[in-house]
Amino acid sequence: MSGIYVSHRRNANERIEQWLSGETTEAVLEPQLAIVDPHHHLWDIRTFDTEPYASFEQKVYLCEEIVNEIRESGHNVVQTVFAQCGAFYRADGPQAMKCVGETEFVHGIVAMSNSGIYGDVRLCAGIFSSADLRAGAAVENVLQAHMAASPNFRGVRTAFPNDLNAAFMEGYAMLAKHQLSFDNFSPDFERLPNLARLADANPDVPVIVNHLGGTVDPQAPPEVVARWRAAIDAIARCPNAVMKCGGGQMRVGGWEPPFHMHRREQPIGSEELCELMFPYYQYSIEAFGPDRCMFESNFPVDKECISYRTLWNAFKRIAARLGLSEAEKASIFSGTAARVYRLPQVA
């Protein structure tokens, strides 16, 4: 690796790190509370010129970056789950199989983490990647290749057709056959009733709703919030559906939350974020129940708005404001994620 490349990596994240350095450092709340972070990415997107990657401020986020993030946060993160993001797809071979490169890459991070060199946290104890379920039963070969690439592979995240056509449903049935889960995110929360139809059609597949179900704007008018609530109610009725409570700090296309680094000189604090976003978190958690919810970092995407330490402080403030019991906190901070993604028990 050339010296020029090393310098490039070191400077690639300079802008976002400089902005975050201006935050008011907070004391860590409940530092002993065990956390499973069920949704983070890993990537090197310095050469990407397509969206959304070209606009992401964090250009390099690999083993060293996330380990430092967790260590410096002071929170007790014991395990993480890698979330599909199109990282390190194979350059060659059949198109349908290129996505397996992502799981192959992440399993290398698993091996690095399991060595203990990077500390006690076990990165990527669960992995979900991608596969084109529209291929019908033929997608089974892709799923099997993912499973062969890593024993930590747990499922896929992909879009679904509104008509839930026969070919897609045949591919979706392969998830049940292999005990795999289905993660989904669309900025359009009004797709959630259709996701509920999909969940009802195959109750053996865990459906994991990402990022509070869609774009959540703290400045949204009441009629938009009412439609979001109705959509949440539709998917919450499905017993095999769970909610990832996070991602509200995420830029979506040209829309940015009011506390994004492009719109604010100093990063937001946990008390202010809790106050601003609490209605969304409260409604989701009460609709699903803490045993079907999990807080997620969505890093490094949400890093454009808040530091890792401050984000988990905000989640702990939300839990306290809701009056969650110790058992409920154990579920929402670690237990739900460990159960749904079938993570190994932490010693």
Side-chain angles (χ1 to χ4, degrees):
M1 183 182 293
S2 71
I4 292 175
Y5 189 83
V6 171
S7 176
H8 191 191
R9 172 173 179 172
R10 201 159 36 229
N11 298 331
N13 305 321
E14 184 175 10
R15 182 178 175 184
I16 190 170
E17 295 294 351
Q18 184 175 10
W19 180 74
L20 284 169
S21 70
E23 79 166 353
T24 300
T25 303
E26 298 185 359
V28 180
L29 301 177
E30 299 183 80
Q32 300 306 315
L33 180 62
I35 294 170
V36 172
D37 184 348
H39 194 108
H40 72 81
H41 307 295
L42 297 167
W43 61 41
D44 183 342
I45 55 174
R46 283 171 289 182
T47 62
F48 285 43
D49 57 6
T50 58
E51 295 297 348
Y53 306 103
S55 296
F56 285 139
E57 294 285 353
Q58 182 88 21
K59 301 301 182 183
V60 181
Y61 204 69
L62 298 171
C63 186
E64 182 179 351
E65 283 77 19
I66 190 171
V67 165
N68 288 341
E69 202 92 75
I70 292 169
R71 181 184 296 125
E72 292 169 8
S73 78
H75 292 286
N76 184 25
V77 179
V78 296
Q79 291 176 308
T80 76
V81 176
F82 171 85
Q84 173 272 333
C85 58
F88 297 96
Y89 278 21
R90 294 173 179 174
D92 304 309
Q95 184 64 35
M97 287 289 185
K98 289 184 177 180
C99 59
V100 178
E102 182 167 62
T103 299
E104 293 170 329
F105 149 67
V106 179
H107 192 67
I109 301 294
V110 172
M112 294 170 72
S113 179
N114 287 350
S115 73
I117 291 175
Y118 297 92
D120 294 334
V121 61
R122 290 297 175 257
L123 299 177
C124 312
I127 298 168
F128 61 94
S129 185
S130 184
D132 189 351
L133 302 180
R134 297 172 300 177
V139 78
E140 184 173 24
N141 292 331
V142 182
L143 298 176
Q144 288 175 323
H146 277 297
M147 291 186 286
S150 176
N152 293 11
F153 181 74
R154 295 293 183 265
V156 302
R157 181 169 73 161
T158 185
F160 63 92
N162 281 329
D163 64 356
L164 302 182
N165 60 71
F168 174 83
M169 294 304 291
E170 187 178 40
Y172 191 81
M174 294 299 106
L175 299 178
K177 179 178 179 179
H178 293 284
Q179 297 182 297
L180 298 173
S181 59
F182 183 75
D183 269 75
N184 184 259
F185 173 69
S186 170
D188 181 7
F189 56 75
E190 298 197 86
R191 295 202 74 210
L192 291 177
N194 267 350
L195 183 61
R197 290 175 51 222
L198 180 60
D200 286 339
N202 204 325
D204 292 332
V205 177
V207 171
I208 304 159
V209 185
N210 293 180
H211 313 331
L212 296 169
T215 302
V216 290
D217 183 355
Q219 299 171 330
E223 60 270 22
V224 173
V225 176
R227 294 204 306 270
W228 172 81
R229 288 184 173 189
I232 293 297
D233 289 342
I235 186 64
R237 294 189 189 100
C238 303
N240 55 323
V242 299
M243 171 65 79
K244 283 181 175 173
C245 297
Q249 297 68 236
M250 179 171 60
R251 172 174 48 82
V252 180
W255 177 83
E256 296 170 343
F259 41 84
H260 191 274
M261 64 181 288
H262 297 161
R263 301 182 61 185
R264 185 177 171 121
E265 289 186 7
Q266 185 176 22
I268 195 168
S270 63
E271 289 187 73
E272 186 180 355
L273 183 67
C274 175
E275 183 65 29
L276 193 63
M277 299 296 292
F278 184 76
Y280 283 106
Y281 285 95
Q282 179 183 30
Y283 197 85
S284 296
I285 293 167
E286 290 181 351
F288 280 84
D291 62 336
R292 289 200 293 139
C293 287
M294 52 183 112
F295 287 125
E296 52 152 337
S297 76
N298 192 34
F299 260 49
V301 179
D302 284 23
K303 188 176 179 178
E304 295 182 12
C305 291
I306 195 167
S307 72
Y308 201 80
R309 172 186 290 195
T310 304
L311 178 60
W312 286 102
N313 269 357
F315 291 152
K316 290 173 180 179
R317 291 186 187 279
I318 290 167
R321 187 167 171 179
L322 286 170
L324 299 188
S325 68
E326 292 302 311
E328 289 170 331
K329 285 196 299 182
S331 291
I332 201 168
F333 281 98
S334 61
T336 302
R339 183 184 75 252
V340 172
Y341 287 114
R342 296 180 286 117
L343 304 185
Q345 188 171 356
V346 179

